[in-house]
Structure formats: structure tokens, C-alpha cells
Amino acid sequence: MPLLRAFVRTARMIRHTPRLADGLTPDDEVLLDVPDDRLGPALVAAGRGEYGPAAKLLATTREAAEWENRDRYATRLAAFARSRSEWFDDWLSAAPHDPDALLLKAELAVVRGWESPARAELLREVSPLLTAAADADPRDPVPWRIALDHARGTHASHTEFEELWAQAVRRSSYHYGCHASALMYLSADWYGSHTECFHFAERAAADALPGSLIQALPVRAAFAYLTSAAGNLPRERLDQAADLAIALSGEYAAADPWPAEVRNLLLAVLIRLERWHDALDQLRLIGPYATSFPWDRLSDDPLGQFLELRDGVRIEVAARTPLRPRQGDADGRGADGR
């Protein structure tokens, strides 16, 4: 019987794997961390040593209170400045009190601090930069997201964390970046537990606005749980987190770069849960937009990891698809669609 099962599995894979590539972006067209149409030109200009477009972009997000975009753009621009800082050094020299330059300065300092073996000590030294960024525009929640990341690295107490969290939500009750940073602090890998992490994520998701990426917090908690060394949460809770993120993903168009990271994260969780058909659905929705997170948590080659697991999903779906699909089945799905 084991030999027969192996033969049937192989036959199914040979028959169905090729056609399951339909709707998937070819490997050589899948890109990692693609900037959107607003960020792309700013990065190109920075590569030429020009800070003007980056300054204008961040100023626009601040003036229009586009806090989610501001956070994303600041993170990407700081990452670029970490390897090529000339344009940013020129910006600071020209406008040392610019709120947007101060925001990047704080983000860059915290990122560099996290990379050092003397992390806690270095991060404590950059605290004045966080204060300066927060004071530069009291409406802006992004400095408080940076402060929450900083708190995790400096071993801040729960009381200190709660004070920072109160400042963050006072400025933006539904800021995804602040919620994601708080979730990491509360995770079992840092200063909380799986139970505390899930409770925070589920409560925030229940209070979130329609279409808000905050509804993906439970699946983020699920990823933290599934990649940890221990835990005994019920499978039902993990599936519910995945189902909520699937519903959120369905509210956005296919190949939309905005929810790309959430979809990549959801894909990683679905693979861990062996929900192969759901994983294939998300691959088609992801399109060409692979993201470093979560794959950089699993491999030093995040794009290669994404492509490898994408092939693995197709193989698993093919192996579970009958040689002659039953009438009414879609790609051999069972009644639960998994």
C-alpha cells in the first residue's frame, strides 16, 4: 500500500503541477520589495545623490496625515541611507531641523543600533533623536512606532511600553506599524507570551476599520507562534487567524502592492498549516510582489525562499488533486476548500 500511495502521488504531481502555474507570475518576473510609484522616483534620485524628491515625498505624507505611507516610506528610505548615506547627510546639513529629516535620522539610528552586538547600550544613546523626531510634529505617530521598536531593544519594562503605546494610539488609533511593533514586544520571543500576543492581536483586529491591515495582526501572531520553539495553542485559533487574513486579502485587487507584505505573511502561515489550496490562492493574489518579511526570517535569500516554497505549494496541491477530479470539485478541493 505505501508503494501504491507513492505511485498515485507521483502520477498526480506529473499530471497536475504544470497547469497549476496558470495565473502565477513567471519566476523571472517576481520582484522583492518593489517600491510604489511614489517611492520609486525618490529612491532613484537618492541613488544619484539628490535628497529633494525624498524630502518632498515625506513632507507630503506629513502634511496630508498619510501616516501609513509615511511609515513605509521612512522605513525604506532609511534602509537605503544605511548603505548609501551621502544624499541623507546632505539633507541633514541643509535642513537639520526638518521634521522629515529628523524622522529618518531616528529610524536610521535605531536600525543601526539593532545591528550592533552592544544593542541595548547604543539604543539608549539615541533616545534624544526619538524625542527630537516626536517633538518635530506632535501629530505624527511614526516616531512612536520607532520608539516602540527602540523599547524592545532596550529591555523596557511593561510600564514603559504601555506609556509609549498610549502616546502612539493617541496620535493614530489604527496605525498598523505601531500595532505590529507592539505585537512584537508582547510576543513570546520578547517580553510577553503567545497568549498575550494573540489576545492583543485579536482585540485590535476586532476593533479595526473595514479593510484595515490591522485585521492581519492575528495571522502575524500565528506566524510568531508557528516559528517559535514551543507552545500549545489550539489549531482552531490559528485557522481563525488565517481565515480573517484571507478575508482581508480578498478586499484588495490581485497583484496590489499595498497588501503584499500581509499576503506574503499569510502565505507563510498557510504553508505551515498545510492549507495548500488556500496558499495557492494567495500566490495568485500576490502576483509579482514578494516581500522580504517574512521570508528573511526563514532564509538569507528571501526571494529564493519565496520561489522555492511557491513550487512546493504547487506540488502539494497537485499531489492532492485526483487524477480525474470529481464533479463539482475545484482543483481537487475537499468540502472545506483545503
Side-chain angles (χ1 to χ4, degrees):
M1 288 298 292
L3 182 61
L4 177 60
R5 284 196 294 270
F7 175 79
V8 171
R9 177 181 172 88
T10 301
R12 289 174 172 178
M13 288 163 52
I14 293 171
R15 179 179 179 87
H16 298 303
T17 299
R19 72 176 178 80
L20 291 175
D22 292 346
L24 297 181
T25 304
D27 284 5
D28 59 0
E29 296 179 18
V30 176
L31 304 171
L32 187 70
D33 298 330
V34 179
D36 66 20
D37 292 341
R38 298 170 72 189
L39 177 61
L43 289 172
V44 170
R48 296 195 301 262
E50 303 168 8
Y51 65 83
K56 182 177 180 180
L57 176 62
L58 287 183
T60 299
T61 62
R62 176 168 47 84
E63 292 162 2
E66 298 178 22
W67 306 130
E68 299 290 3
N69 278 328
R70 181 171 177 80
D71 199 358
R72 289 190 179 199
Y73 296 157
T75 300
R76 293 292 302 276
L77 288 166
F80 189 79
R82 185 174 52 178
S83 57
R84 299 183 63 179
S85 64
E86 298 85 357
W87 63 277
F88 183 55
D89 294 337
D90 290 345
W91 184 3
L92 280 175
S93 296
H97 304 296
D98 184 331
D100 308 309
L102 290 174
L103 180 69
L104 279 192
K105 187 177 181 180
E107 171 72 8
L108 185 57
V110 169
V111 170
R112 285 173 171 163
W114 268 97
E115 295 174 342
S116 171
R119 175 193 300 161
E121 181 180 350
L122 285 179
L123 286 175
R124 291 189 186 100
E125 292 176 358
V126 305
S127 293
L129 300 182
L130 302 181
T131 301
D135 289 345
D137 189 335
R139 304 172 305 147
D140 188 356
V142 182
W144 298 98
R145 189 273 301 161
I146 300 171
L148 289 166
D149 289 343
H150 179 266
R152 187 160 39 91
T154 56
H155 313 299
S157 68
H158 271 64
T159 298
E160 293 171 305
F161 161 79
E162 288 169 2
E163 291 173 354
L164 294 173
W165 175 243
Q167 293 288 345
V169 297
R170 185 177 301 162
R171 286 157 177 81
S172 179
S173 300
Y174 302 106
H175 186 265
Y176 176 70
C178 288
H179 279 78
S181 183
L183 189 72
M184 291 183 69
Y185 180 94
L186 296 171
S187 71
D189 288 339
W190 291 97
Y191 308 111
S193 66
H194 293 308
T195 299
E196 190 174 7
C197 185
F198 259 92
H199 178 69
F200 173 84
E202 290 167 345
R203 185 175 57 187
D207 292 339
L209 298 172
S212 170
L213 297 185
I214 290 176
Q215 293 179 35
L217 286 180
V219 87
R220 199 172 183 117
F223 179 77
Y225 172 78
L226 291 167
T227 54
S228 66
N232 59 351
L233 291 175
R235 166 66 187 248
E236 179 183 6
R237 200 169 188 180
L238 303 175
D239 281 322
Q240 287 174 348
D243 289 341
L244 181 60
I246 288 172
L248 174 65
S249 175
E251 295 186 36
Y252 291 90
D256 183 343
W258 177 255
E261 184 179 277
V262 164
R263 282 172 169 163
N264 277 253
L265 176 62
L266 171 58
L267 172 64
V269 169
L270 291 170
I271 289 172
R272 292 272 176 158
L273 296 176
E274 298 185 357
R275 291 176 55 171
W276 304 112
H277 287 89
D278 288 332
L280 184 60
D281 289 342
Q282 291 307 310
L283 280 167
R284 290 175 173 141
L285 291 172
I286 287 169
Y289 296 113
T291 58
S292 289
F293 179 78
W295 313 115
D296 58 2
R297 303 300 193 272
L298 309 175
S299 170
D300 292 333
D301 178 13
L303 180 57
Q305 179 77 96
F306 173 83
L307 294 174
E308 179 182 340
L309 290 174
R310 191 172 76 153
D311 287 342
V313 168
R314 289 171 55 215
I315 289 171
E316 291 295 339
V317 171
R320 287 162 171 75
T321 301
L323 289 172
R324 294 184 177 180
R326 295 180 296 272
Q327 187 175 4
D329 281 359
D331 291 337
R333 292 175 191 258
D336 63 356
R338 300 177 188 174

